[in-house]
Amino acid sequence: MHGRPDPLDPLSRERNHLAASRSALRAMREDAEALDIRDVTANWVNAAVLQSQIDERIKSLADLSHTPLFFGRLDYLHAPGADQAEGAEGEQFYIGRRHVHDADGDPMVIDWRAPVSQPFYRASKKAPMDIALRRRFGYTGGDLTAYEDEHLSDADEAERTSKLLQQEIERPRVGPMRDIVATIQPEQDEIVRSGLGGSVCVQGGPGTGKTAVGLHRVAYLLYAHRERLARTGTLVIGPNKSFLHYIEQVLPALGELEVKQATVDDLVAHVEVRGTDDAAAAVVKGDARMAAVLRKALRSHVTMPVESVVVVRGSRRWRVPAYELEEIVGELLARDIRYGAARDALPQRIAHAVLVQMERAGEAPDDRVQDAVARNSAVKAAVKAVWPPVDPAKLVLRLLSDPEFLAVHAEGILDEDEQKLILWSKPVRGVKAAKWSAADAVLIDEANDLVARTHSLGHVVLDEAQDLSPMQYRAVGRRCTTGSATVLGDLAQGTTPWATRSWEQALAHLGKGDAVVEELTAGFRVPREVIAYASRLLPSIAPGLAEVKSVRESAGSLVVRQVADLDAASLEACVESLRHEGSIGLIAADARVPALAKALEAAGMTYLSPGEETTPDTRLTLVPASLAKGLEYDYVVLDEPAAVVDGEPDERTGLRRLYVALTRAVSGLTVVHSAGLPEQLAP
Ligand SMILES: Nc1ncnc2c1ncn2[C@@H]1O[C@H](COP(=O)(O)OP(=O)(O)OP(=O)(O)O)[C@@H](O)[C@H]1O
């Protein structure tokens, strides 16, 4: 203490620190822009690489006016890491989205992912983690306008919930998904900061923050293992394009521009998908037993050699007898390496056998001779006969169109009915002409991997994971065999005929049986009344799963209206909802969408499709129930629940689809129906 009173109030001091941090960031950017690489690079390739790295850095140093540079402050009782002996001085850190330092290199803002930031998310009165003060900042527009203090080491101060956190959660939604760095909760933070080595599976009801947690975990891992993941790559997998659009700005806002996004269909897009399967066929095609069928069918292409190979070199002839070839082939089969890798190894093995003979005959052949022998036409011909190349798509095509071929390789694996289900009814001319389905593409991906190993990434986030078939889990799993995975989902929201019944099974198919399963139960999206209403479906769709506990203070508004004129009433409910701030989703059975689109157009109401960004001017989206998963709207108008249920092949799936639709609302839900409601929702 200086003895003189501080002329500035705390808020002004914090504002000063914000202004100073912003100019420090500007200076960092100017430094990056001023880098002259002409003298340090040897050639233009290096120069181009370096320049693009610098450009990335400049981009990442941008000061975004709508994202505050810091959102919190931690006052440590002692400098972290220092000896906590009496007299050791405390230290103060501002926590933000990125690291900012001043001209001397001293930190002005610390990255939220740094170890010293962790108490911001985890510290509590019970476990203060050496924190004297935790301060949260409130912003209006880009201006710092409020702060809120917790004196964690002060036993007399009562614990209370943060108003700023409540405000953030209750904020009217508009536009794409945003990051939650300022308000990550302790149980979420544990998942976010779990290590790169292990896989994590998160079960959580609607709005518990699974997607948010998965995205922040990638950001965290990229910070903690930047070089390794830059080399191996990261990928976020979501259910469809509109969902990926909805979440695509979260990671860039956290400064992470390199993370790829894809749907499972994108991953396995080896052929053009123009066909569909009925549910029964898709279930069989998605069954993990198909992997065994494919493996058997592929290996059936290897035939045991019946003739010896004769290699002529100069005046000498070298003969590798059939029994020796058989040994080589048998050994390769037993080693269980990829079909293609074994095929590549075979000529070298044969050549080696020739070399052994040469050595026995007193010659001293070197590696070049072995290579030459391996390329010899007689060896090539033998390899082609014994271990022919196999095109994965053609292999699948033959299994699906040749009943005898399928019967031989599915024997003891699929029963006759199952075989009939997956066989194409009409003959198909070739890979290009075939009307491949999404499930077929996954089979081709599996066959591809049997031939040549699929490239594995460092980390994969799999969102809405409950909907994948076992074969799809395998497709994702082989993209992270050498890496780890974050698997996010809700068993109650499984709406495919093959949706998983247990995470244990799903993880086994994924090849991550050792993943830790965590559960999130606090709901950040759906208001209390609405989640209570939707949860009435839980006993029918996922008995045993706990109801989400809404952490929102507002109970929310829930209106259920029986009407005569459905179109008009749904539109009217949209008009009412539009009187509030925020986005509006009109969710309806897919079959109802054309009629509602027409009605909206006739009424002169503009609307968007899912994935198109809601803005303060266009806030209404017409959402087919099949695309609602993972999305959220401030107000939701749900048109005719019975039609949503009827849109699915069976009642349980229908009710699950309805559960998804009922849990998209942030502030209020209006259910409009002319037909009867499903009994669980009846008054
Ligand atoms: N700690 C938090 N602070 C503020 N907002 C949060 C927090 N956690 C989640 N949210 C918000 O809650 C909403 C729901 O989160 P998210 O979409 O990640 O949930 P989900 O579990 O994936 O839901 P669903 O099962 O419906 O896909 C989002 O708007 C998200 O930003």
Side-chain angles (χ1 to χ4, degrees), residues 11 79 176 340 442 476 560:
L11 191 59
V442 181
V476 173
V560 182

Side-chain angles (χ1 to χ4, degrees), residues 165 168-171 173 177-186 188 202 204-216 243 246-247 463-464 466 488-490 493 520 522-526 551-552 628-632 660 663-664 666:
L165 170 64
E168 174 58 24
I169 297 168
E170 317 251 329
R171 160 187 66 85
R173 306 298 207 271
M177 188 172 191
R178 296 209 316 203
D179 70 66
I180 59 163
V181 269
T183 54
I184 297 174
Q185 294 302 290
Q188 297 178 323
V202 185
T208 51
K210 298 180 295 297
T211 302
V213 164
L215 295 172
H216 288 72
F243 174 81
Y246 170 63
I247 65 164
D463 204 352
E464 304 293 354
Q466 71 282 345
L488 312 162
D490 180 8
Q493 295 185 61
L520 292 175
F524 297 89
R525 176 196 299 135
V526 192
V551 299
R552 302 174 63 86
K629 203 169 279 182
L631 305 180
E632 68 185 14
V660 173
T663 52
R664 300 304 102 198
V666 172

